[in-house]
């Protein structure tokens, strides 16, 4: 669970009180922060998780959730009814039909079918319908969705064979030990469940030319690799790696699946060769010469729906109150699924209550980037989160996910517990206080050199005053050193370890965050300008080329901001579209109150935000501009 | 509110400073004169820096009273060199076109004066050239835009961005263009490799040496950029003027038209060297506007390889033309608007400004009424006239049409002008170099911050060479590295 970019998602899901982070803190057997030496903005929290423990803890959490009824059955069809007139969509979902023909009535439905929609498992030349090894695929539902007119595509993914731990010779392999102390995923966890020294190690081994030879000699036995269904460019199967980057060693990480488990997950060995050939490949690898294969690797091909058919709240445009989350929207992995799940869940509920949707902007979180990319641009390979997809990477860090999302989650979505909210409020106040105190301590370079000789300052100018906040940016500086030199008022901040760490990070990123603020502001302004859901781009009277109309119509951008990210849309087209915009002024005002630089402003705190985020359909100002200006271009 | 109470006095002081600081925003400027090549050009600024800009350029601490024209000497604040004497107006926000503080400088319309003022503005801190549509967007965000005008504004922006695109395309043909392109590729590659190192190195075979390659590439680029900037604004000077291209099927009289235009007293001819074998180019002055007129090979599906090359060059020219003179044989065209429009459409790139010339009018029989009516029809028929290159009949009407089109194209004397393009370029190159320098500073401390500087650098370069998105970076990552579980 987690990883670079994905760890960000888990932190954000946790900030909205989603469960996966907390449950990972109760179930991990190996915690590791990736990218430790590359800066806190790109740290990747990750854990190897014990499947059994995760399942048990998650089940406990779910079954103990008040007012939640859990019913396990296959869903075969949807119950549909007349659409609500004030929303786009040709019908509205009002329930589901189960495998035994019984029905469940509901205000909204979220479909999270994973790889089950018409799932087909491939091993060698054999294939059989299954969503996961041993589980039936979902066919009836796939047909229903297609009949309703959803655009359906096909994706593929794969999983490696599993190995018996007690048959592997780890002695000659590179060991990677876990972090000590482990860093928890959740803002609520003070520590993870496991004792640091009880954590399990991972081991690294490599493929060699022999494995490559086996793959190359047997391509004719490998349907999954030859077929054209789109697979990812990353996470490729061993076959894809060998074909695209031949004559190299490829890494294989041997990861424990659990504390008591004898199963090893060889990450990097995903393959779809016939099982006996998989065994040959495995035995060709150092340390695995005698390894026993418990289960062969296999490929899965499955249906996904073009996510451009969804709004940013993940509700479908075709069927009202029908939401989609996870691999059905063309994403990979647990973390992307969790991120969509929390948003779909919040919005399915808000929708039933008749409240405005809860949207995370690209400027607020990785969740926002993920969903905006999917719903605006679509995808033709399983979409995976990378930090490089994120424009405002310096502001959207794992450390401050709570400051970015918890307050909004509590106030607008009602999805955050009182305890979490209070903790976030306390942390925010302490950060503001700490930064203000650090900023108020200003001395010359020579004075600082006396105070803290261990920090070497690069500035030579004796005239300029430096604040303690500036000093904190230096790699050698930390709150402890500063508090030793200036106990009053810094001691009380330095005593709180988590706060000290966050203050240092804030100091390091201040310059970048302030510089990005303007750009963030522009993006937010553009995102506050919403295009009506039902705009017919072919019918509107605006000078737009056919090409632009086609792009707009197939991508269905929801805001002017989204329009500007569609390749090939011109500035002129954007200005022409402004006429059709609904202005969410108050929302924009509210967003302005948000993170980083502004968040310390006394007049602009979260709690002050207008209670309502009602979407105002702004009548565009009829005010006559001074006549001399009317004709001016730019 | 408890949180506010928690803030110390010092914190409040700091917060107030910060408030001023975040309210700052940047200030944009652009030429925004009306139509025609009139004697006065209007340069407008919008944003909180307008006040300071007006003070700096007039050299006076006090501003004129709001919304009242004042005569001022305008000088370059960096050199104190006088640029012009002109009228200035101060519009404090929110009572201005954009709702922000705005200033206007009405200066003499010559390119030297205007580009001098623009350069001076560009050197002021916090000021930068406006992006296409930016004034309008700002006005819109502050609820100032009269939307009946939005459509017209959109069209104007379209015309302007098209002019800039064509200008950039021309610039990109030359050595300079190749240089920028190479820099952009280097930078995108360096960034992609750094991003790969950030996103994948812990799990995949992205090795440490990638990083030292990135460092070396960035250092080399920084030096090269520095040297280039030191070189002043040398760059290749582009010949100013509207690029007009004569195009049409073979044997309709394109070359005769060129000669006719050259022979007329309205057109002053100066032959220009470097005309290619098949594209003949002359510089003219038509009703006061500079025009570079090219005659191209007749457009048809040629079989002869030399002719094919000529046709391909002609099509290339057409793509870059500011104005197309589409020539057709008057005796061989349909005499109704739809057919005529289609005939032009098959020759000319869509949306290119165009004048239709129906040559060989002298060969038309008696009744030309239907054809004349079709010419006067308007869309889908572009402005059109009948002409006889042989007798010279219709040339006055052609010159009138040309004059109208040129007035529109030159309405903004600097949209896409070489000097403006070049001053924009040097500004972005400077910003790019500054970001590369910061890369070096962050590199050892925080790779994320270092990557941010490369992103910034690339964005500035991208303003010159065209946009590059996150997907391009990912493409390079997946091409160059084997990544994935």
């Amino acid at each position: 669970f987690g990883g670079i970019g994905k760890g960000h998602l888990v932190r954000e899901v946790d900030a909205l009180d989603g469960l996966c982070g907390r449950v990972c803190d109760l179930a991990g057997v190996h915690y590791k922060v990736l990218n430790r030496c590359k800066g806190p903005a790109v740290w990747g929290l990750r854990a190897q998780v014990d499947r059994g423990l995760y399942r048990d803890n998650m089940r406990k959490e779910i079954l103990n959730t008040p007012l939640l009824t859990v019913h396990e059955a296959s869903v075969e069809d949807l119950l549909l009814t007349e659409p609500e007139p004030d929303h786009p969509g040709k019908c509205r979902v009002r329930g589901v039909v189960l495998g035994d023909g019984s029905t469940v009535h509901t205000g909204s439905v979220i479909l999270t079918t994973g790889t089950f929609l018409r799932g087909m498992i491939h091993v060698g030349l054999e294939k059989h319908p299954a969503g996961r090894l041993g589980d039936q695929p979902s066919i009836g539902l796939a047909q229903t969705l297609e009949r309703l007119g959803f655009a359906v595509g096909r994706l593929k993914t794969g999983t490696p064979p599993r190995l018996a731990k007690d048959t592997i010779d780890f002695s000659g392999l590179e060991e990677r030990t876990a972090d000590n102390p482990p860093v928890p995923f959740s803002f609520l966890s003070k520590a993870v469940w496991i004792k640091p020294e009880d954590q399990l190690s991972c081991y690294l081994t490599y493929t060699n030319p022999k494995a490559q030879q086996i793959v190359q000699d047997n391509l004719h036995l490998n349907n999954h690799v030859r077929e054209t269904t789109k697979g990812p460019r990353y996470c490729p199967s061993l076959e894809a790696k060998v074909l695209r980057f031949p004559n190299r060693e490829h890494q294989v990480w041997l990861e424990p699946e659990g504390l008591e488990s004898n199963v090893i997950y060889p990450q990097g060995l995903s393959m779809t060769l016939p099982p006996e050939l998989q065994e040959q490949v495995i035995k060709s690898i150092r340390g695995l010469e005698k390894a026993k294969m418990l289960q062969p690797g296999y490929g899965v091909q499955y249906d996904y729906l073009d996510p451009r058919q969804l709004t940013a709240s993940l509700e479908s445009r075709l069927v009202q109150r029908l939401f989609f989350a996870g691999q059905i929207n063309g994403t990979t992995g647990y973390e992307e699924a969790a991120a969509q799940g929390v948003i779909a869940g919040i919005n399915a509920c808000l929708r039933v209550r008749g409240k405005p949707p809860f949207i995370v902007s690209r400027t607020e979180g990785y969740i926002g980037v993920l969903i905006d990319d999917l719903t605006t641009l679509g995808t033709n390979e399983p979409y995976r989160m990378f930090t490089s997809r994120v424009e405002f990477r310096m502001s959207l860090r794992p450390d401050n996910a709570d400051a970015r999302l918890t307050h909004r989650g509590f106030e607008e979505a009602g999805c955050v517990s009182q305890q979490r909210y209070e903790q976030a409020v306390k942390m925010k106040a302490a950060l503001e206080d700490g930064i203000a105190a650090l900023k108020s301590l200003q001395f010359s370079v020579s004075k600082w050199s006396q105070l803290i000789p261990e920090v070497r300052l690069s500035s030579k100018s004796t005239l300029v005053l430096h604040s303690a906040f500036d000093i904190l940016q230096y790699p050698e500086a930390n709150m402890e050193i500063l508090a030793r030199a200036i106990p009053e008022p810094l001691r009380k901040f330095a005593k709180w370890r988590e706060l000290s760490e966050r203050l240092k990070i804030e100091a390091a990123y201040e310059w970048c965050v302030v510089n990005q603020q303007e750009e963030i502001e522009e993006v937010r302004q553009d995102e506050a300008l919403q295009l009506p859901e039902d705009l017919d781009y072919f019918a509107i009277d605006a000078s737009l080329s056919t090409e632009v109309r086609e792009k707009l119509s197939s991508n269905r951008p929801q805001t002017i901001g989204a329009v500007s990210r569609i390749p090939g849309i011109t500035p002129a087209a954007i200005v022409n579209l402004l006429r059709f915009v609904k202005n969410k002024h108050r929302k924009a005002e509210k967003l302005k109150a948000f993170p980083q630089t502004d968040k310390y402003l006394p007049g602009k705190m979260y709690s002050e935000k207008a209670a309502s985020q009602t979407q105002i359909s702004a009548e565009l100002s009829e005010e006559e501009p001074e006549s001399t200006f009317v004709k001016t271009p730019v | 509110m408890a949180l506010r109470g928690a803030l110390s006095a010092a914190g409040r002081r700091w917060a107030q400073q910060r408030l001023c600081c975040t309210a700052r925003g940047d200030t944009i400027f652009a030429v925004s004169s009306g139509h025609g090549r009139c004697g006065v050009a209007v340069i407008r600024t919008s944003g909180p820096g307008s006040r300071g800009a007006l003070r700096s350029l007039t050299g006076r601490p006090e501003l004129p009273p709001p919304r009242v024209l004042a005569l001022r000497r305008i000088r370059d604040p960096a050199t104190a060199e006088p640029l012009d004497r002109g009228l200035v107006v101060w519009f404090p926000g929110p009572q201005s076109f954009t709702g922000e503080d705005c200033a206007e400088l009405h200066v003499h319309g010559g390119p030297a004066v205007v580009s001098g003022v623009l350069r001076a503005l560009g050197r002021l801190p916090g000021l930068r050239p406006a992006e296409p549509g930016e004034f309008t967007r700002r006005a819109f965000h502050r609820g100032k835009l009269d939307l009946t005008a939005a459509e017209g504004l959109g069209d104007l922006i379209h015309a302007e961005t098209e002019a800039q695109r064509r200008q950039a395309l021309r610039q990109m043909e030359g050595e300079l263009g190749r240089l920028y392109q190479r820099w952009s590729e280097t930078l995108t590659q360096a960034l992609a490799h750094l991003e790969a190192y950030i996103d994948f190195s812990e799990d995949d075979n992205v090795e440490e040496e990638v990083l030292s390659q990135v460092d070396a590439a960035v250092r080399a680029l920084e030096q090269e950029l520095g040297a280039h900037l030191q070189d002043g604004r040398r760059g290749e000077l582009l010949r100013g003027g509207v690029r007009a291209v004569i195009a049409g099927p073979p044997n309709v009289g394109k070359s005769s038209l060129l000669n006719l235009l050259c022979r007329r007293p309205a057109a002053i001819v100066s032959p220009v060297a470097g005309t290619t074998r098949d594209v003949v180019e002359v510089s003219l002055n038509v009703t006061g506007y500079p025009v570079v007129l090219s005659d191209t090979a007749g457009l048809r599906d040629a079989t002869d390889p030399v002719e094919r090359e000529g046709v391909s060059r002609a099509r290339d020219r057409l793509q870059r033309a500011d104005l197309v003179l589409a020539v057709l044989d008057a005796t061989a065209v349909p005499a109704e608007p739809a057919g005529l429009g289609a005939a032009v459409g098959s020759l000319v790139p869509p949306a290119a400004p165009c004048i239709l010339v129906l040559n060989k009018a002298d060969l038309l029989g008696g009744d030309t009424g239907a054809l004349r009516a079709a010419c006067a029809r308007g869309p889908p028929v572009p402005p059109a006239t009948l002409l006889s290159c042989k007798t010279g009949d219709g040339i006055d009407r052609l010159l009138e049409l040309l004059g109208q089109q040129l007035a529109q194209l030159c309405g903004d004397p600097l949209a896409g002008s070489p000097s403006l393009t070049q001053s924009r370029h040097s500004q972005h190159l400077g910003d790019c170099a500054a970001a590369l320098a910061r890369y070096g500073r962050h590199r050892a401390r925080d790779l994320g911050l270092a990557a941010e500087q490369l992103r910034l650098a690339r964005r500035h370069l991208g303003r010159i060479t065209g946009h590059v998105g996150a997907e391009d970076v990912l493409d390079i990552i997946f091409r160059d590295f084997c990544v994935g579980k």
Side-chain angles (χ1 to χ4, degrees), chain A residues 451-523:
Chain A
L451 281 169
I452 41 166
E454 55 269 67
V455 178
R456 282 199 34 222
L457 303 178
S458 54
S459 168
K460 298 285 173 279
S461 165
T462 48
L463 296 173
V464 188
L465 291 181
H466 291 267
S467 77
F469 198 56
D470 299 331
I471 302 299
L472 196 53
Q473 294 178 35
Y474 286 86
E476 317 89 89
N478 58 44
M479 283 303 287
E480 204 181 319
I481 292 177
L482 283 170
R484 220 178 296 143
I486 316 166
E488 216 31 67
L490 297 184
R491 197 170 40 198
K492 66 172 191 273
F493 302 110
K495 274 196 303 198
W496 186 354
R497 192 179 51 86
E498 196 197 343
L499 177 67
S500 302
E501 285 167 5
R502 286 182 68 162
L503 282 170
K504 178 156 175 63
I505 296 174
E506 293 288 345
Y509 287 93
E510 195 210 16
W511 185 87
C512 247
V513 168
V514 168
N515 265 279
Q516 273 186 349
Q517 199 55 36
E518 210 162 85
E519 216 185 314
I520 288 180
E521 206 53 59
E522 274 172 32
V523 172

Side-chain angles (χ1 to χ4, degrees), chain A residues 35 38 46 233 249 251 387-388 390 393 433 439 509-510 516 519 526 543 620-621 629 632 634, chain B residues 6 14 18 44 135 137 143 147 151 153 155 195 197-199 201 203 205 446 452 455 459 475:
Chain A
N35 271 352
K38 295 178 197 162
R46 191 174 71 173
R233 291 176 291 182
E249 292 190 327
Q251 290 183 332
T387 70
S388 46
V390 180
R393 186 164 65 186
D433 229 0
K439 289 250 173 187
Y509 287 93
E510 195 210 16
Q516 273 186 349
E519 216 185 314
D526 285 348
S543 63
L620 293 154
S621 162
F629 296 128
T632 311
V634 278
Chain B
W14 170 75
R18 177 56 72 76
R44 168 180 290 159
F135 276 95
R137 303 269 286 278
L147 280 167
E151 191 79 355
L153 286 168
D155 292 345
E195 296 281 7
Y197 189 77
I198 288 173
D199 269 339
S201 71
D203 260 351
N205 298 352
D446 186 315
E452 194 59 33
R455 286 177 168 202
R459 203 158 55 231
D475 282 339

Side-chain angles (χ1 to χ4, degrees), chain A residues 8 31 68 146 149 169 177 184 205 212 220 238 335 368 377 398 441 471 520 529 548 603 618:
Chain A
H8 290 70
Y31 293 88
L68 182 68
E146 205 163 38
D169 177 12
T177 55
T205 181
Q212 178 175 333
H220 60 289
L238 180 68
E335 303 80 4
L377 304 176
L441 296 165
I471 302 299
I520 288 180
L529 300 175
V548 165

